[in-house]
């Protein structure tokens, strides 16, 4: 991929309802966001790592860890603003043009430079326009369903899986939020990393797929890092 250029964008809002200030909480000796910055900077293929945020504190910390920074307008940091809005603003704010955008969510601290490089190499092997990271699901979705207020489990499971063992069911994968890569022009046109075609999955292990949303996720990440 030496002839292609890659821009890594890390979007990090200042506010977080479930885990306040999570992007700068200390995780095993450094702020949560630093793990993603260092992963991006450690990649063989990424040309620039940019953090976009509405928070001056996050921007200052990010700069100290080697990322370039973009101050995000308040209207792109509220609850109605999408990740794509922040990504598009970051792309427009940078003078240079890049062939591919790599979205690195700051809530995936165990995703490292090796994972990023492997995902980019998969992009080349598949001649893909987009690659998105996934991991195997902890439990089959076939064992799950919704419940109404009565809590009735009538028809909770489909008839054909009632007596099946979990190991006999198909393997399902889920998005893990760690890596999204997309050709820049396709991303801006379709306004999504999930293109209609020529998109492939990069499969990661479950340990590296920890996505920090709540305090229990943070504690699990600490355990895994210190193991």
């Amino acid at each position: 991929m030496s002839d292609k250029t890659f821009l890594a964008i890390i979007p990090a809002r200042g506010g977080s309802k479930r885990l306040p200030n999570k992007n700068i909480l200390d995780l095993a000796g450094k702020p949560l966001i630093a793990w993603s910055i260092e992963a991006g900077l450690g990649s063989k293929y990424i040309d620039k790592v940019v953090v976009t945020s509405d928070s001056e504190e996050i921007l200052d910390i990010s700069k100290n860890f080697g990322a370039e920074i973009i101050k995000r307008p308040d209207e792109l940091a509220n609850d109605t603003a999408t990740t794509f809005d922040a990504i598009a603003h970051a792309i427009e704010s940078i003078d240079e043009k890049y062939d591919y955008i790599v979205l690195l969510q700051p809530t995936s601290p165990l995703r490292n430079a090796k994972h990023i490089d492997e995902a980019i190499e998969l992009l080349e092997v598949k001649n893909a326009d987009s690659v998105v990271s996934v991991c195997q699901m902890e439990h089959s979705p076939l064992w799950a369903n919704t419940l109404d207020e009565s809590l009735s489990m009538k028809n909770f499971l489909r008839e054909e899986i009632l007596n099946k063992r979990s190991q006999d069911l198909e393997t399902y994968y889920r998005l893990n939020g760690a890596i999204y890569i997309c050709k820049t022009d396709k991303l801006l046109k379709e306004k999504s990393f999930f293109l209609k075609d020529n998109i492939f999955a990069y499969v990661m292990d479950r340990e590296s797929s920890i996505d920090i949303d709540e305090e229990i996720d943070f504690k699990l990440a600490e355990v895994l890092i210190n193991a």
Side-chain angles (χ1 to χ4, degrees):
M1 304 296 288
S2 57
D3 59 331
K4 302 297 182 183
T5 54
F6 293 83
L7 171 66
I9 300 177
I10 303 174
R13 288 197 309 167
S16 176
K17 293 178 180 177
R18 293 181 181 174
L19 190 59
N21 299 314
K22 69 179 176 183
N23 287 321
I24 54 176
L25 288 180
D26 185 287
L27 175 63
K30 54 192 169 190
L32 175 60
I33 195 168
W35 292 86
S36 290
I37 293 170
E38 291 180 348
L41 292 173
S43 166
K44 293 185 290 188
Y45 305 108
I46 288 177
D47 298 282
K48 181 181 286 190
V49 176
V50 170
V51 171
T52 168
S53 181
D54 58 313
S55 164
E56 293 290 353
E57 187 174 10
I58 289 176
L59 293 175
D60 286 345
I61 289 171
S62 299
K63 192 173 181 180
N64 288 338
F65 277 91
E68 296 198 22
I69 57 174
I70 294 173
K71 181 68 189 299
R72 195 190 312 179
D74 290 340
E75 62 268 22
L76 295 182
N78 57 35
D79 291 336
T80 60
T82 66
T83 299
F84 173 78
D85 294 333
I87 296 291
H89 174 262
I91 294 171
E92 291 167 5
S93 301
I94 294 171
D95 293 332
E96 308 93 347
K97 301 301 178 188
Y98 292 85
D99 298 310
Y100 292 88
I101 301 301
V102 182
L103 167 60
L104 301 176
Q105 308 257 43
T107 49
S108 298
L110 279 82
R111 169 257 296 112
N112 58 36
K114 180 174 178 286
H115 296 125
I116 297 169
D117 288 346
E118 287 177 353
I120 291 174
E121 286 160 4
L122 176 67
L123 188 85
E124 181 175 34
V125 168
K126 295 289 189 181
N127 194 25
D129 290 328
S130 182
V131 164
V132 174
S133 62
V134 300
C135 66
Q136 188 173 328
M137 290 191 69
E138 292 82 353
H139 305 286
S140 172
L142 298 176
W143 294 120
N145 208 332
T146 57
L147 286 170
D148 61 23
E149 291 181 3
S150 74
L151 303 182
S152 170
M153 293 190 74
K154 183 180 179 181
N155 300 322
F156 188 82
L157 296 180
R158 298 209 309 258
E159 192 73 30
E160 63 268 26
I161 66 163
L162 274 177
N163 295 311
K164 282 194 174 182
R165 301 175 303 167
S166 58
Q167 57 264 44
D168 296 329
L169 299 176
E170 288 182 280
T171 300
Y172 279 77
Y173 295 85
R174 64 170 177 82
L175 304 177
N176 67 357
I179 303 170
Y180 298 82
I181 309 172
C182 193
K183 195 173 280 187
T184 307
D185 57 351
K186 297 268 188 178
L187 173 63
L188 294 174
K189 182 180 178 182
E190 297 195 25
K191 298 184 178 182
S192 174
F193 285 87
F194 286 90
L195 304 182
K196 297 180 179 69
D197 196 18
N198 203 22
I199 176 172
F200 292 87
Y202 168 63
V203 181
M204 291 174 57
D205 63 275
R206 290 213 297 253
E207 281 192 6
S208 303
S209 298
I210 293 292
D211 182 25
I212 294 180
D213 187 38
E214 301 178 358
E215 188 174 358
I216 190 170
D217 306 319
F218 200 89
K219 290 179 177 178
L220 179 55
E222 282 186 314
V223 170
L224 292 171
I225 289 168
N226 293 322

